[in-house]
Amino acid sequence: MKSKGSVFLVGAGPGDPELITVKGKRLLEECDALVYDYLVDKQLLEWVRPDCERHYVGKRAGFHALPQEAIEQLLVRLANEGKRVVRLKGGDPFIFGRGGEEALALKQDGIRYEVVPAVTAALGCAAYSGIPLTHREHSAAVTFISGHERPDKAESDLVNWEAHAATGGTLVLYMAMGRLKAITQRLIDAGRPATTPVCVVQWGTTARQQSLQATLADAAERVVESGLGPPAIVIIGDVAGLGETLAWYDI
Ligand code: SAH
């Protein structure tokens, strides 16, 4: 019997194909099967061998090409066929990427796996917007928050907005465009000054990057006016204002 293959949960980075790791690129070049989704730059797909089997399982807000369970079954099946499988995911596989669920499924089925970290959207968007997420004078903590908890859960189950408002550190929101009004209002109600700088970055690190500078008070309104939508990152805190001076990419 053929020995079982393995699955590499590889982070593709936030967009700019050059931000993938050297290890991620090597695994792409070597793999027998590639399973990838929507937020992965098409240039990365050119690195796989011509005979590599490709599976698109794309996911976009509200639209799943393949349900999560089917993705996990696909990974298990490919590995059981003895293949070296790369599961390429946007950003870092373990930050809001369901990499944890996929690793658990592999573990349960006794499949060997490795995890290759990557630049997550928060870090890529901040860097390409000239925003240092920490700064000696402004912020000594950064928190990554999902703005889009599972709709079947009570709103405050996993995210304690009041506590996040109170820390005074930098907050970075993923998947928050649909609920930005409610989130910014909640942070203001919890005591974050309405004048706190906010930077919204869409398609960060790609040729399509667009960003806007606002405050907690007007960010939601400005986003609607500007037409910015997902995928976007929202950076909240005094450091967000530094982007006005330090921006170097989309200017
Ligand atoms: N694992 C990914 C996050 C997946 S969740 C990571 O580590 O980056 C998808 C969310 O990530 C999007 O809704 C958006 O909030 C954010 N995102 C991913 N790529 C982005 C990009 N290029 N620019 C802005 N936001 C991005």
Side-chain angles (χ1 to χ4, degrees):
M1 199 180 108
K2 214 170 187 182
S3 68
K4 278 187 178 178
S6 30
V7 175
F8 299 86
L9 297 172
V10 178
D16 180 344
E18 286 193 313
L19 291 178
I20 195 171
T21 61
V22 173
K23 184 166 186 173
K25 181 167 192 265
R26 176 177 62 76
L27 290 167
L28 275 175
E29 288 163 351
E30 292 174 0
C31 68
D32 304 309
L34 172 66
V35 178
Y36 64 101
D37 50 31
Y38 170 62
L39 284 173
V40 163
D41 192 282
K42 298 294 165 283
Q43 196 185 314
L44 302 183
L45 310 182
E46 289 168 18
W47 292 336
V48 301
R49 300 193 322 253
D51 61 333
C52 169
E53 162 181 344
R54 295 174 184 205
H55 298 265
Y56 175 68
V57 294
K59 282 190 237 169
R60 213 191 290 229
F63 172 80
H64 285 203
L66 211 60
Q68 184 62 28
E69 214 172 86
I71 296 175
E72 289 160 16
Q73 284 164 5
L74 174 66
L75 296 175
V76 169
R77 174 172 70 75
L78 292 168
N80 277 331
E81 288 168 5
K83 295 180 172 129
R84 279 168 74 86
V85 183
V86 166
R87 169 67 175 117
L88 188 64
K89 302 173 81 70
D92 179 272
F94 275 4
I95 300 284
F96 304 130
R98 309 193 73 165
E101 281 146 274
E102 292 173 18
L104 266 174
L106 296 168
K107 180 91 192 172
Q108 273 162 13
D109 279 275
I111 309 281
R112 271 191 317 228
Y113 62 90
E114 289 186 26
V115 184
V116 182
V119 176
T120 188
L123 304 184
C125 290
Y128 278 49
S129 304
I131 297 174
L133 291 177
T134 66
H135 186 290
R136 276 180 70 87
E137 284 157 32
H138 300 291
S139 172
V142 191
T143 311
F144 298 162
I145 306 175
S146 164
H148 166 74
E149 268 316 310
R150 274 182 27 201
D152 52 329
K153 281 194 198 150
E155 194 171 347
S156 54
D157 248 15
L158 283 180
V159 181
N160 183 339
W161 292 103
E162 283 65 32
H164 291 306
T167 67
T170 308
L171 306 180
V172 186
L173 310 180
Y174 288 67
M175 301 172 280
M177 296 306 263
R179 297 179 50 195
L180 197 53
K181 178 86 201 136
I183 293 170
T184 48
Q185 190 55 52
R186 195 141 171 205
L187 291 170
I188 293 170
D189 292 346
R192 267 280 168 121
T195 51
T196 304
V198 172
C199 181
V200 181
V201 188
Q202 182 185 23
W203 285 116
T205 81
T206 74
R208 298 195 253 177
Q209 174 171 320
Q210 268 193 296
S211 56
L212 78 80
Q213 289 281 345
T215 63
L216 263 190
D218 68 5
E221 207 174 298
R222 298 275 312 285
V223 160
V224 172
E225 280 165 18
S226 69
L228 289 193
I233 281 289
V234 181
I235 304 172
I236 302 171
D238 289 341
V239 291
L242 292 171
E244 302 212 51
T245 313
L246 298 179
W248 56 272
Y249 184 69
D250 59 341
I251 49 176

